[in-house]
């Protein structure tokens, strides 16, 4: 298995632009998670899906952030408009259920200038 | 509520030294407990887990025991190597929701 695949690995964008991060979970995993990692805040859960349905989006910072999971093999996290404080590494992870060990992708390092 | 507290780093050790990274938790019910490791430029990888009290998780020479009486899950290794340099995260799994991670502890091992 190729693991959880995230794209792009790096993204540099100007403030105000739309950014879309992509994730392909492991086949057969029914839970998908988006986390954000910064030095100041550590690892924060943004949103998670179970069977393609958003279950908890209380970690999404504000309306500028949105996430979708149109099918079991693909999810997106969109930021519109982006701001410098959104600069972070964004991780996608998947698992069988919420209580099991997660498999993380390699992350997307986002820099908003 | 549910939370995880890890000792602050960085932890700096010489090769072959003994490692302990402390982790305590607050949780309702009986969560599973995990240690994850993050190498530079990579995502987190599951290192070990324990699903009930007194269970010992182990992997690659690392061990941690689920202590319900002290609500702890300390990570230990008898002899660290330079290749163990990484960030280590303790995490707990509450019922029906996502893993909650500690802030991470950076380990630096020198030869």
């Amino acid at each position: 298995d190729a693991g959880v695949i995230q794209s792009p690995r790096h993204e540099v964008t100007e403030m105000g632009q739309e950014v879309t991060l992509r994730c392909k979970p492991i086949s057969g995993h029914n839970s998908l998670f988006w986390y954000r990692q910064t030095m100041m805040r550590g690892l924060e859960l943004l949103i998670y899906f179970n069977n393609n349905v958003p279950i908890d989006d209380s970690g999404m910072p504000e309306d500028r952030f949105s996430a979708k999971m149109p099918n079991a093999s693909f999810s997106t996290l969109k930021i519109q408009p982006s701001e410098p404080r959104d600069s972070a590494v964004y991780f996608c992870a998947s698992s069988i259920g919420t209580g099991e060990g997660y498999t993380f992708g390699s992350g997307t390092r986002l820099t908003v200038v | 509520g549910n939370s995880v507290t890890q000792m602050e780093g960085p932890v700096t050790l010489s090769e072959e030294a003994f490692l302990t990274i402390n982790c305590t938790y607050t949780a309702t019910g009986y969560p599973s407990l995990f240690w994850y490791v993050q190498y530079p430029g990579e995502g987190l990888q599951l290192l070990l887990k324990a699903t009930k009290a007194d269970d010992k998780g182990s992997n690659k020479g690392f061990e941690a025991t689920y202590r319900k009486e002290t609500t702890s899950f300390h990570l230990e290794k008898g002899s660290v190597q330079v290749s163990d340099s990484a960030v280590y995260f303790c995490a707990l799994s509450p019922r029906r929701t996502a893993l909650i991670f500690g802030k991470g502890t950076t380990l630096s091992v020198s030869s």
Side-chain angles (χ1 to χ4, degrees):
Chain A
D1 197 322
V4 175
I5 300 172
Q6 290 187 248
S7 64
R9 285 299 306 272
H10 302 276
E11 177 80 32
V12 181
T13 191
E14 291 186 348
M15 182 174 62
Q17 297 298 305
E18 177 179 296
V19 176
T20 299
L21 311 181
R22 297 172 176 79
C23 176
K24 176 178 168 53
I26 289 176
S27 177
H29 283 190
N30 62 344
S31 295
L32 183 140
F33 310 84
W34 283 100
Y35 284 87
R36 178 172 69 177
Q37 186 178 38
T38 61
M39 289 293 291
M40 290 297 294
R41 294 173 173 266
L43 204 59
E44 302 174 279
L45 176 68
L46 299 177
I47 185 171
Y48 81 92
F49 297 83
N50 195 38
N51 294 321
N52 312 339
V53 176
I55 302 300
D56 182 358
D57 65 354
S58 60
M60 297 285 262
E62 48 199 274
D63 292 346
R64 297 185 297 106
F65 285 69
S66 62
K68 294 182 179 179
M69 191 165 187
N71 56 61
S73 60
F74 184 65
S75 176
T76 59
L77 177 67
K78 186 176 294 186
I79 308 172
Q80 165 65 19
S82 57
E83 296 182 4
R85 60 192 167 118
D86 302 331
S87 297
V89 181
Y90 291 80
F91 286 104
C92 176
S94 70
S95 72
I96 300 173
T98 55
E100 301 300 316
Y102 297 178
T103 301
F104 279 77
S106 297
T108 295
R109 181 174 294 277
L110 173 65
T111 303
V112 183
V113 298
Chain B
N2 300 300
S3 67
V4 175
T5 303
Q6 287 181 239
M7 63 186 288
E8 290 197 19
V11 174
T12 304
L13 296 173
S14 298
E15 208 165 22
E16 299 184 3
F18 184 86
L19 168 71
T20 300
I21 300 178
N22 291 337
C23 171
T24 57
Y25 68 91
T26 303
T28 53
Y30 304 98
S32 295
L33 300 173
F34 304 82
W35 277 100
Y36 282 78
V37 58
Q38 184 180 29
Y39 298 103
E42 299 183 11
L44 280 70
Q45 303 173 25
L46 178 63
L47 180 60
L48 54 85
K49 72 174 186 179
T51 58
K52 61 183 187 296
D54 299 326
D55 266 2
K56 177 186 283 188
S58 61
N59 186 23
K60 299 180 181 178
F62 291 90
E63 294 182 339
T65 301
Y66 190 146
R67 301 283 188 201
K68 184 168 173 286
E69 63 276 12
T70 55
T71 61
S72 65
F73 193 55
H74 304 322
L75 182 68
E76 296 181 336
K77 186 174 186 183
S79 176
V80 294
Q81 305 300 312
V82 172
S83 57
D84 294 327
S85 298
V87 183
Y88 292 82
F89 292 88
C90 185
L92 71 83
S93 168
R95 284 175 61 83
R96 300 196 202 95
T97 188
L99 289 185
I100 295 173
F101 288 88
K103 290 190 180 297
T105 302
T106 299
L107 170 65
S108 178
V109 181
S110 58
S111 58

